[in-house]
Amino acid sequence: MKYNRLLEGKVAVITSGAHGMGKHVSVWYARHGAICFINGRDPSGVETGEMLNEISPGSCFIRCDMSKREDVESFIRQVLERTDRIDNITNVVGINRSDLTDQVDDERFEYTQQVNLYGIMRLARGFWPSLKKTRGNIILISTIHSGATFGKNSAYASSKSATNAFARALAVEGAQYGIRANVVCPGGIYSSRQQERYFELRDDIEKLTDIGMRGEGGHPDYGSGSSNDIANACLFLASDMAAHVTGAAIMSDGGATFQSHKFRDFRTPSDYRDLWREFMLDRYEL
Amino acid sequence: MDYQCLLAGRSAIVTGGAGSVGRAVALLYATHGANVVILDEDETEVEKTVKDLREINQKCSGFAGNLRDPESIAQLCDYAINALGTADILVNAAGSYLPGDAETLEEDDFIAMLDKNVNSTIRFTKAIIPYMCDNRQGDIINITSDLATASMPGTAGIAACAGAIVAFTRNVTMDYIRYRVRANCIVYPFDGIEGRRPLTGAPGPEDVANAALWYACKMSRFIIGDMLPVNGGMDYFAGMRGE
């Protein structure tokens, strides 16, 4: 296996691949040799498309609103006009329009389900014949809220739990064709803005603590993850490194979900703040 | 990140490194630039694997000893640390499987399985973790049976052992992530147990090795205390297989 070209000769579809986490995923795939078709609502995604095309010729951006059936179907047609094979679908798109339980708005709830769940259902349906031919795989970005969650999150958490169940169903159904389906559940991931802020304050530990460095009560990893971490998880699952991994849900959350009791100041090494800082800096290296 | 050399210069200890899975892990780690020491019971098998490892990296070595005996394990760890200078990665791949349900499982068989699977994992971790804490980094990968999460008849002993290892892995992470020591585990169908598995064909040692590589390198740095099933989706069928 060529580990620096894990997706050589493959074609991948990445939803919401123009910005944020999706951009990281598509850049990772392109660097590993995959031709990437990315979509998004915002036409500015064209810039990311051009960047990907330079890394991996043939890649492009196609405008698409994942909440609309016609848009998704037109996206599928446009992709299939440009390529005769699909090896991977990575569904990054996701929104959260949740309300408190006694105030749930039907439209907002439904919109969340349309984007988070119906979008990937339509994509999987449209690309299924292509995936059968290539023994391809599907990766769904879910969330830790598919398992544990907090308040005012009902629309999001329910749509993402459904996403996990959908992936398991795809795994069972796709197995006879060699199609794999897996889920990545990110925990706290810094957005690009938070990341910038982090680098501005990198030497001011006290301030960093104030703006959200998590203590022992929250996150055993002492911090949030980056989109790179999610991109690397997707890369692993998309490649032959995970040839026998299917139906799995990978918790990429720095351990946020496996804690049971709260704990504080428990055998903390004296240099742990410095460690945390190094760890975070290391994490954002591209 | 150089994906062709994901473990450049790192020191790895692989227990059960002469068995099929441990051997695959050791060879893949060496290919990715790690200095590997394998620890196992059968001297001839250890020598064979070390010979293959040295063709990839001269700095690899291996030692044989009794993996059921605490003193022997402590000695093996001393040898390994002497050979490597330190330890960055510990893979607990040693294990054994003996059949039996709650009634028919022999006492001796159960104790043997506990020693080889659970106790060896805990003892090796205990001996190696101080070096990882001193280095402020470390990756522990425990490899066990996927009977930790779903069952089949006549496997009471190994299922109990696997469950223990999964819980132990989470707890090691909880206690040592403050020193940047991560622990994760991989579960796979032990001893080629055939079962209902959506993907046709059983996973090979190289599939487990790739997962172990992923958990040992920076690709998975935000993933801790997790369990990855490398079993072709064995657990996801509910009841009878549909059309």
Side-chain angles (χ1 to χ4, degrees), chain B residues 78-112:
Chain B
D78 282 347
Y79 290 153
I81 295 292
N82 279 337
L84 294 168
T86 185
D88 302 314
I89 303 166
L90 169 66
V91 181
N92 284 305
S96 68
Y97 160 65
L98 299 161
D101 55 33
E103 245 179 319
T104 59
L105 183 62
E106 298 288 340
E107 177 75 11
D108 288 350
D109 286 359
F110 181 55
I111 300 296

Short mmCIF file of all heavy atoms in Angstrom, two decimals, chain B residues 78-112:
data_model
loop_
_atom_site.label_atom_id
_atom_site.label_comp_id
_atom_site.label_asym_id
_atom_site.label_seq_id
_atom_site.Cartn_x
_atom_site.Cartn_y
_atom_site.Cartn_z
N ASP B 78 12.36 -4.85 30.98
CA ASP B 78 13.73 -4.35 31.15
C ASP B 78 14.55 -4.54 29.88
O ASP B 78 15.23 -3.63 29.42
CB ASP B 78 14.43 -5.07 32.32
CG ASP B 78 13.97 -4.52 33.65
OD1 ASP B 78 13.33 -3.44 33.65
OD2 ASP B 78 14.24 -5.16 34.68
N TYR B 79 14.48 -5.76 29.34
CA TYR B 79 15.21 -6.04 28.09
C TYR B 79 14.79 -5.05 27.00
O TYR B 79 15.63 -4.49 26.29
CB TYR B 79 14.91 -7.46 27.59
CG TYR B 79 15.50 -8.57 28.41
CD1 TYR B 79 14.89 -9.83 28.43
CD2 TYR B 79 16.67 -8.38 29.15
CE1 TYR B 79 15.42 -10.87 29.18
CE2 TYR B 79 17.21 -9.41 29.90
CZ TYR B 79 16.58 -10.66 29.92
OH TYR B 79 17.11 -11.68 30.66
N ALA B 80 13.47 -4.86 26.87
CA ALA B 80 12.95 -4.01 25.80
C ALA B 80 13.43 -2.57 25.97
O ALA B 80 13.88 -1.94 25.01
CB ALA B 80 11.42 -4.06 25.77
N ILE B 81 13.36 -2.07 27.20
CA ILE B 81 13.78 -0.68 27.44
C ILE B 81 15.29 -0.54 27.21
O ILE B 81 15.76 0.45 26.65
CB ILE B 81 13.39 -0.24 28.87
CG1 ILE B 81 11.86 -0.20 29.02
CG2 ILE B 81 14.00 1.11 29.21
CD1 ILE B 81 11.15 0.86 28.23
N ASN B 82 16.05 -1.55 27.62
CA ASN B 82 17.49 -1.51 27.35
C ASN B 82 17.78 -1.44 25.86
O ASN B 82 18.66 -0.73 25.42
CB ASN B 82 18.19 -2.75 27.94
CG ASN B 82 18.44 -2.56 29.42
OD1 ASN B 82 18.49 -1.42 29.89
ND2 ASN B 82 18.57 -3.65 30.14
N ALA B 83 17.02 -2.22 25.10
CA ALA B 83 17.26 -2.26 23.65
C ALA B 83 16.83 -0.97 22.97
O ALA B 83 17.47 -0.52 22.03
CB ALA B 83 16.51 -3.46 23.05
N LEU B 84 15.73 -0.37 23.44
CA LEU B 84 15.17 0.79 22.74
C LEU B 84 15.60 2.12 23.35
O LEU B 84 15.56 3.15 22.70
CB LEU B 84 13.63 0.72 22.76
CG LEU B 84 12.96 -0.40 21.99
CD1 LEU B 84 11.49 -0.50 22.36
CD2 LEU B 84 13.10 -0.18 20.49
N GLY B 85 16.01 2.10 24.62
CA GLY B 85 16.32 3.36 25.31
C GLY B 85 15.10 3.95 25.98
O GLY B 85 15.17 4.51 27.06
N THR B 86 13.95 3.81 25.35
CA THR B 86 12.70 4.30 25.93
C THR B 86 11.54 3.58 25.24
O THR B 86 11.76 2.67 24.47
CB THR B 86 12.57 5.83 25.76
OG1 THR B 86 11.40 6.27 26.44
CG2 THR B 86 12.47 6.22 24.29
N ALA B 87 10.31 4.02 25.54
CA ALA B 87 9.18 3.41 24.84
C ALA B 87 8.16 4.49 24.49
O ALA B 87 7.77 5.27 25.35
CB ALA B 87 8.53 2.35 25.71
N ASP B 88 7.79 4.56 23.23
CA ASP B 88 6.77 5.52 22.78
C ASP B 88 5.44 4.83 22.49
O ASP B 88 4.38 5.43 22.61
CB ASP B 88 7.22 6.21 21.49
CG ASP B 88 8.54 6.93 21.68
OD1 ASP B 88 8.67 7.63 22.69
OD2 ASP B 88 9.43 6.77 20.82
N ILE B 89 5.53 3.58 22.07
CA ILE B 89 4.32 2.85 21.67
C ILE B 89 4.33 1.47 22.32
O ILE B 89 5.36 0.80 22.34
CB ILE B 89 4.27 2.67 20.13
CG1 ILE B 89 4.34 4.03 19.42
CG2 ILE B 89 3.03 1.92 19.71
CD1 ILE B 89 4.62 3.92 17.93
N LEU B 90 3.20 1.09 22.89
CA LEU B 90 3.06 -0.27 23.42
C LEU B 90 1.84 -0.91 22.77
O LEU B 90 0.74 -0.38 22.85
CB LEU B 90 2.89 -0.23 24.94
CG LEU B 90 2.47 -1.56 25.60
CD1 LEU B 90 3.59 -2.60 25.46
CD2 LEU B 90 2.14 -1.37 27.07
N VAL B 91 2.06 -2.03 22.11
CA VAL B 91 0.95 -2.77 21.53
C VAL B 91 0.78 -4.07 22.30
O VAL B 91 1.68 -4.90 22.32
CB VAL B 91 1.18 -3.07 20.03
CG1 VAL B 91 -0.01 -3.81 19.45
CG2 VAL B 91 1.45 -1.80 19.26
N ASN B 92 -0.35 -4.23 22.95
CA ASN B 92 -0.63 -5.47 23.66
C ASN B 92 -1.42 -6.40 22.75
O ASN B 92 -2.63 -6.33 22.67
CB ASN B 92 -1.43 -5.18 24.94
CG ASN B 92 -0.56 -4.60 26.03
OD1 ASN B 92 0.46 -5.18 26.41
ND2 ASN B 92 -0.93 -3.43 26.52
N ALA B 93 -0.68 -7.23 22.02
CA ALA B 93 -1.34 -8.13 21.08
C ALA B 93 -1.31 -9.58 21.57
O ALA B 93 -1.86 -10.46 20.93
CB ALA B 93 -0.67 -8.03 19.70
N ALA B 94 -0.67 -9.82 22.71
CA ALA B 94 -0.60 -11.19 23.22
C ALA B 94 -1.98 -11.63 23.69
O ALA B 94 -2.74 -10.85 24.24
CB ALA B 94 0.39 -11.26 24.38
N GLY B 95 -2.29 -12.88 23.46
CA GLY B 95 -3.59 -13.37 23.92
C GLY B 95 -3.74 -14.83 23.58
O GLY B 95 -2.96 -15.39 22.81
N SER B 96 -4.72 -15.46 24.21
CA SER B 96 -5.01 -16.85 23.85
C SER B 96 -6.50 -17.09 24.00
O SER B 96 -7.20 -16.33 24.67
CB SER B 96 -4.24 -17.81 24.77
OG SER B 96 -4.76 -17.72 26.08
N TYR B 97 -6.99 -18.11 23.32
CA TYR B 97 -8.42 -18.39 23.34
C TYR B 97 -8.67 -19.87 23.61
O TYR B 97 -8.11 -20.73 22.93
CB TYR B 97 -9.04 -17.96 22.00
CG TYR B 97 -10.37 -18.62 21.72
CD1 TYR B 97 -11.47 -18.36 22.54
CD2 TYR B 97 -10.52 -19.52 20.67
CE1 TYR B 97 -12.68 -18.97 22.31
CE2 TYR B 97 -11.73 -20.14 20.42
CZ TYR B 97 -12.81 -19.87 21.25
OH TYR B 97 -14.01 -20.47 21.02
N LEU B 98 -9.45 -20.15 24.63
CA LEU B 98 -9.86 -21.53 24.92
C LEU B 98 -11.38 -21.56 25.04
O LEU B 98 -11.96 -20.68 25.68
CB LEU B 98 -9.21 -22.00 26.22
CG LEU B 98 -7.67 -22.01 26.20
CD1 LEU B 98 -7.10 -22.02 27.60
CD2 LEU B 98 -7.15 -23.20 25.40
N PRO B 99 -12.04 -22.56 24.43
CA PRO B 99 -13.50 -22.55 24.37
C PRO B 99 -14.15 -23.00 25.68
O PRO B 99 -13.49 -23.56 26.55
CB PRO B 99 -13.81 -23.54 23.25
CG PRO B 99 -12.66 -24.47 23.25
CD PRO B 99 -11.46 -23.70 23.72
N GLY B 100 -15.43 -22.74 25.78
CA GLY B 100 -16.21 -23.21 26.92
C GLY B 100 -17.28 -22.21 27.30
O GLY B 100 -17.08 -21.00 27.16
N ASP B 101 -18.45 -22.72 27.75
CA ASP B 101 -19.46 -21.81 28.28
C ASP B 101 -19.31 -21.75 29.80
O ASP B 101 -18.40 -22.36 30.38
CB ASP B 101 -20.87 -22.24 27.85
CG ASP B 101 -21.17 -23.68 28.23
OD1 ASP B 101 -20.66 -24.13 29.27
OD2 ASP B 101 -21.91 -24.36 27.48
N ALA B 102 -20.22 -21.03 30.46
CA ALA B 102 -20.05 -20.79 31.89
C ALA B 102 -19.90 -22.10 32.68
O ALA B 102 -19.20 -22.17 33.69
CB ALA B 102 -21.22 -19.97 32.43
N GLU B 103 -20.58 -23.16 32.19
CA GLU B 103 -20.55 -24.45 32.90
C GLU B 103 -19.31 -25.27 32.58
O GLU B 103 -18.68 -25.85 33.44
CB GLU B 103 -21.77 -25.26 32.46
CG GLU B 103 -22.77 -25.53 33.54
CD GLU B 103 -23.93 -26.32 32.96
OE1 GLU B 103 -24.36 -26.01 31.81
OE2 GLU B 103 -24.37 -27.25 33.62
N THR B 104 -18.97 -25.30 31.28
CA THR B 104 -17.92 -26.23 30.84
C THR B 104 -16.53 -25.64 30.84
O THR B 104 -15.55 -26.36 30.67
CB THR B 104 -18.22 -26.74 29.40
OG1 THR B 104 -18.29 -25.60 28.54
CG2 THR B 104 -19.53 -27.49 29.35
N LEU B 105 -16.43 -24.32 31.00
CA LEU B 105 -15.11 -23.69 31.00
C LEU B 105 -14.30 -24.17 32.20
O LEU B 105 -14.71 -24.02 33.35
CB LEU B 105 -15.29 -22.16 31.05
CG LEU B 105 -14.02 -21.32 30.99
CD1 LEU B 105 -13.30 -21.56 29.67
CD2 LEU B 105 -14.37 -19.85 31.12
N GLU B 106 -13.15 -24.79 31.92
CA GLU B 106 -12.31 -25.32 33.00
C GLU B 106 -11.67 -24.17 33.76
O GLU B 106 -11.25 -23.18 33.17
CB GLU B 106 -11.21 -26.22 32.41
CG GLU B 106 -11.73 -27.45 31.68
CD GLU B 106 -12.29 -28.50 32.64
OE1 GLU B 106 -11.95 -28.43 33.83
OE2 GLU B 106 -13.08 -29.35 32.19
N GLU B 107 -11.55 -24.35 35.07
CA GLU B 107 -10.94 -23.33 35.92
C GLU B 107 -9.54 -22.95 35.41
O GLU B 107 -9.22 -21.77 35.25
CB GLU B 107 -10.86 -23.86 37.36
CG GLU B 107 -10.18 -22.93 38.34
CD GLU B 107 -11.04 -21.75 38.76
OE1 GLU B 107 -12.25 -21.74 38.44
OE2 GLU B 107 -10.50 -20.80 39.37
N ASP B 108 -8.74 -23.98 35.10
CA ASP B 108 -7.36 -23.71 34.66
C ASP B 108 -7.34 -22.93 33.33
O ASP B 108 -6.51 -22.05 33.14
CB ASP B 108 -6.59 -25.03 34.48
CG ASP B 108 -6.27 -25.66 35.83
OD1 ASP B 108 -6.47 -24.96 36.84
OD2 ASP B 108 -5.84 -26.82 35.85
N ASP B 109 -8.27 -23.32 32.44
CA ASP B 109 -8.33 -22.64 31.15
C ASP B 109 -8.67 -21.17 31.33
O ASP B 109 -8.08 -20.28 30.70
CB ASP B 109 -9.40 -23.28 30.24
CG ASP B 109 -8.94 -24.61 29.69
OD1 ASP B 109 -7.79 -24.99 30.01
OD2 ASP B 109 -9.71 -25.26 28.96
N PHE B 110 -9.63 -20.92 32.23
CA PHE B 110 -10.07 -19.54 32.44
C PHE B 110 -8.94 -18.70 33.03
O PHE B 110 -8.67 -17.58 32.58
CB PHE B 110 -11.31 -19.50 33.34
CG PHE B 110 -11.82 -18.12 33.58
CD1 PHE B 110 -12.14 -17.29 32.50
CD2 PHE B 110 -11.97 -17.61 34.86
CE1 PHE B 110 -12.60 -16.00 32.69
CE2 PHE B 110 -12.43 -16.32 35.06
CZ PHE B 110 -12.75 -15.52 33.98
N ILE B 111 -8.24 -19.28 34.02
CA ILE B 111 -7.13 -18.55 34.65
C ILE B 111 -6.04 -18.29 33.62
O ILE B 111 -5.45 -17.21 33.56
CB ILE B 111 -6.57 -19.34 35.85
CG1 ILE B 111 -7.66 -19.57 36.92
CG2 ILE B 111 -5.38 -18.61 36.48
CD1 ILE B 111 -8.20 -18.32 37.58
N ALA B 112 -5.80 -19.29 32.76
CA ALA B 112 -4.78 -19.12 31.72
C ALA B 112 -5.14 -17.97 30.79
O ALA B 112 -4.30 -17.14 30.43
CB ALA B 112 -4.62 -20.42 30.93
#
